[in-house]
Amino acid sequence: MASDGGVSCLRRSEMMSVGIGGIDSPPLDVDEVHVLAVDDSLVDRIVIERLLRITSCKVTAVDSGWRALEFLGIDNEKASAELDRLKVDLIITDYCMPGMTGYELLKKIKESSSFRQVPVVIMSSENVITRIDRCLEEGAEDFLLKPVKLADVKRLRNYLTRDVQVSNGNKRKLPEDSPPLTLSHDSSDSSPPPSTLSPDSSDSSSPPLSPVEIFSSPLLSPLDDEDDDVLTSSPESTPSPVRRQKMRSPGLD
Amino acid sequence: MDAHVAQLQMQYRNYILSLYQQGFLDDQFTELKSLQDDGSPDFVAEVLSLFFDDCVKLVGNMARALDQTGTVDFSQVGANVHQLKGSSSSVGAKRVKGLCINFKELCEAKNYEGCVRCLQQVDIEYKTLKAKLQDMFNLEKQIVQAGGIVPQVDIN
């Protein structure tokens, strides 16, 4: 059970572990979608995992942007095109996370030659137009308003199946070659900035930030007028939250 | 069907309905229930258990942060409120979430007294919800033990 693990992967027996049986096999079945879910909230990770599994996705859930990059191997300086990489078909990330926001993670993924083609979906509890636009402009595939529902995930799954490219160069990583994923949530060993709840003080010269702004990229905050565009934050009173979509894939009707 | 089971099932239905009517739960809870099946029969209980663990942790953090009289870091309190608001929203804990929305504003206003009061309310509220849901799970267990199936309750 994923109690407080930094990485909670494929717990149940019906899930195939990444790499097992798929090393020298023919191109993947289009149904074998592997999703990397990133959220600092354990509750949300468990829920999104369940939603994804119900829609027949394999899921790897991590608790921070840093762990996501670590998992993908993006922060690995010695990475090269020859290295087998983990096959990830979709990355779904929370926007507000301490340390590295979902937006920053999105940027890093889009800067990576290996993973920039992987669709990235952002989740947020706040329906902020400027935030949504900024993410879409940076290349996010979709933006989901939390709490995420099965219908949202099914919709993602639908356009993902049509897009899955089984020979996009992202080959499967051999499990024996990879270090065991035993990253714990509270570990003080690995990742650069630890995941804490305190305001990100990595940039010591930045002005004090309000609670909403602390989760935005500190480098962008002075120009951030997103507070002005906050729609009613209570989902129940909002008839249909704005979900901006950008379907960039060719071939879709 | 066994009259005892039928009675328990009716009791269960009424109880669930009352939880929604009194605003303890919202449609996200319904959503979670719909994700549960024979393959994952304890999903809801598992998620809620994690949620309540979260409550204990976050309330503790907030209490400690508010305890620094004179040097309260409201953004720290606010960060914890944000987390709690998120997880309560994800499980359908409607009242807790509502309190968090107020709490967030109080943090932004750096209203110390308001924050302290709100934290007390949050504490009471999540504990109340926990007790209510425990009763709900107990009813489910009783139904199953009596040989019945837990009914799907249509909220609408």
Side-chain angles (χ1 to χ4, degrees), chain A residues 53-65:
Chain A
R53 287 179 190 180
I54 282 180
T55 49
S56 312
C57 296
K58 289 181 294 190
V59 189
T60 301
V62 299
D63 69 351
S64 72

Side-chain angles (χ1 to χ4, degrees), chain A residues 40 44 50 126 149-150, chain B residues 28 31 35 83 90 104:
Chain A
D40 60 312
D44 287 355
R50 180 84 186 129
E126 272 135 15
K149 299 190 189 296
L150 190 58
Chain B
Q28 183 61 16
E31 179 79 14
L35 303 181
Q83 300 251 323
S90 296
K104 221 175 176 188

Side-chain angles (χ1 to χ4, degrees), chain A residues 214-228:
Chain A
I214 54 172
F215 294 119
S216 304
S217 166
L219 303 171
L220 300 175
S221 62
L223 301 174
D224 224 316
D225 62 344
E226 61 186 16
D227 283 334
D228 298 331

Side-chain angles (χ1 to χ4, degrees), chain A residues 11-12 40 42-44 46-47 50-51 54 96 126 147-150 197-199 211-212 215 235-236, chain B residues 27-28 31 35 37 40 43 46-47 50-51 61 75-76 79-80 82-83 89-91 94 97 104 108:
Chain A
R11 291 172 291 149
R12 314 249 180 185
D40 60 312
L42 178 57
V43 167
D44 287 355
I46 297 299
V47 173
R50 180 84 186 129
L51 291 172
I54 282 180
C96 288
E126 272 135 15
V148 179
K149 299 190 189 296
L150 190 58
L197 292 173
S198 55
V212 173
F215 294 119
E236 305 97 291
Chain B
D27 65 354
Q28 183 61 16
E31 179 79 14
L35 303 181
D37 58 22
S40 299
F43 174 68
E46 201 180 280
V47 178
L50 293 172
F51 167 66
N61 290 348
S75 61
Q76 171 79 339
N80 284 281
H82 179 88
Q83 300 251 323
S89 166
S90 296
V91 303
K94 190 174 179 179
K97 180 173 115 170
K104 221 175 176 188
E108 281 161 24

Side-chain angles (χ1 to χ4, degrees), chain A residues 158-175:
Chain A
N158 284 339
Y159 73 70
L160 193 62
T161 308
R162 285 178 274 181
D163 281 356
V164 166
Q165 314 204 356
V166 295
S167 53
N168 62 355
N170 285 355
K171 297 181 197 147
R172 288 182 162 267
K173 190 167 177 178
L174 303 177

Side-chain angles (χ1 to χ4, degrees), chain B residues 69-104:
Chain B
T69 17
T71 55
V72 173
D73 183 351
F74 285 97
S75 61
Q76 171 79 339
V77 183
N80 284 281
V81 174
H82 179 88
Q83 300 251 323
L84 186 58
K85 175 169 162 273
S87 46
S88 58
S89 166
S90 296
V91 303
K94 190 174 179 179
R95 283 198 190 181
V96 178
K97 180 173 115 170
L99 283 173
C100 288
I101 293 172
N102 298 342
F103 204 159
K104 221 175 176 188

